[in-house]
Structure formats: structure tokens, C-alpha cells
Amino acid sequence: MTTPSAEPPGTAALLVNSRGEHLLHRDANKPWICDPGTWSIPGGDREGKESCRQAVERELYEETGLLVAPQQGTAFLFAPRAGGAR
């Protein structure tokens, strides 16, 4: 039996540049994703045994082509959804 991760199953990346602009992307119009066809911040569910950090880095690259580099001003926050909902 495996122990469930204490990290939430989903991830999202809120990127803000020095001018206070937020990075958004247009979600694909696919029925199996959250809010298809709308503007949102990059993110998605973890795959396999990846950590939230690994998942958000992968999702950010898959959805925007950006690579996360450790630097000043980078923070990773983990917060479960209210009521544990997915």
C-alpha cells in the first residue's frame, strides 16, 4: 500500500513580470480540461510520482514553452482546494 502525497493533485503557475503583468494562456477547447477555451494561468494535474514543483515546471513548459530557472523572486506555494475538491 502506498502513502498518499500530502501535496495537492493539481498545480498552477502565476507568473508576474516587473511591470505587474500576469501571464495567461488560452486553454485548448477540449472537454476533459478545466474550463476549456478560456483564458487561465498555466497548470494541471501531477503525473505519476512527480512533486508539485516538478508538475508546475512541466505544465509551464508544455503550455507556454517557458523553463523555470531558480532565481530571486521565485516562490512555490502549495495550497489544497477548499474541501479537498479537485
Side-chain angles (χ1 to χ4, degrees), residues 14-69:
L14 177 61
L15 277 69
V16 183
N17 67 16
S18 60
R19 294 179 297 210
E21 299 168 322
H22 297 76
L23 176 69
L24 299 176
H25 78 110
R26 186 103 187 238
D27 275 336
N29 196 10
K30 299 176 182 173
W32 61 86
I33 65 171
C34 182
D35 301 321
T38 62
W39 289 98
S40 68
I41 59 175
D45 287 337
R46 292 187 297 149
E47 294 180 358
K49 294 184 179 184
E50 69 185 356
S51 68
C52 281
R53 183 182 181 118
Q54 292 167 326
V56 79
E57 289 174 355
R58 176 186 49 75
E59 290 285 349
L60 187 59
Y61 180 72
E62 287 176 0
E63 296 179 3
T64 69
L66 297 174
L67 295 172
V68 175

